[in-house]
Amino acid sequence: MQVNEPADRRVDAPDAATLLRGPFETATDADPGDVLDALSDPLCRRVLGCATDPVTAREVASATDCSTSTTYRKLETLTDAGLLETQTEIREDGYHTTRYRTSLSEATIHVGGDGDGVDVTLRRRAED
């Protein structure tokens, strides 16, 4: 039986920053309903609080004492709502990792009169 050896996926990089694939990315056109749904979920708020600095799903799961599958669902909810931004970390072993951090510095909810509905304004954190 033939056994395939893993390919050498080494990334030649003078520093750790070059191991990151692009800048953090954020969903910019989030639906106000998605934002409100995410912020009304206590577990989503806990996950959001863990991501002030870049973190992996495993780190969030450990900090919130949640299962990995629940953590990934909450991270996806927050990312889709535009409350988390993502960045891929290229690893030498070929198993790449996504890092998450909050893109939010402030959220304002305005309930309009005259049937205007609800408007959600997100103020993003300053670019690093």
Side-chain angles (χ1 to χ4, degrees):
M1 179 171 150
Q2 180 181 357
V3 177
N4 293 329
E5 293 298 321
D8 184 8
R9 298 175 187 235
R10 195 167 210 154
V11 178
D12 294 324
D15 59 45
T18 59
L19 295 176
L20 299 176
R21 182 182 295 161
F24 275 94
E25 298 175 2
T26 306
T28 55
D29 51 345
D31 178 76
D34 291 344
V35 173
L36 292 173
D37 287 345
L39 292 176
S40 67
D41 181 335
L43 187 50
C44 278
R45 292 193 308 266
R46 283 178 48 205
V47 168
L48 191 62
C50 292
T52 55
D53 292 318
V55 291
T56 64
R58 182 171 289 164
E59 292 168 335
V60 172
S62 176
T64 60
D65 199 29
C66 291
S67 70
T68 306
S69 61
T70 298
T71 300
Y72 275 110
R73 280 195 307 275
K74 299 306 178 181
L75 289 168
E76 182 178 8
T77 297
L78 291 163
T79 301
D80 290 347
L83 301 173
L84 285 180
E85 51 191 13
T86 61
Q87 183 178 49
T88 302
E89 176 185 323
I90 308 298
R91 294 178 42 187
E92 291 181 1
D93 61 7
Y95 294 97
H96 307 319
T97 302
T98 300
R99 293 202 168 271
Y100 302 87
R101 75 173 179 188
T102 183
S103 60
L104 186 64
S105 67
E106 182 178 304
T108 304
I109 301 167
H110 178 264
V111 180
D114 301 329
D116 287 342
V118 175
D119 182 45
V120 177
T121 305
L122 301 178
R123 182 175 296 160
R124 307 277 178 205
R125 65 191 290 160
E127 294 291 322
D128 290 337

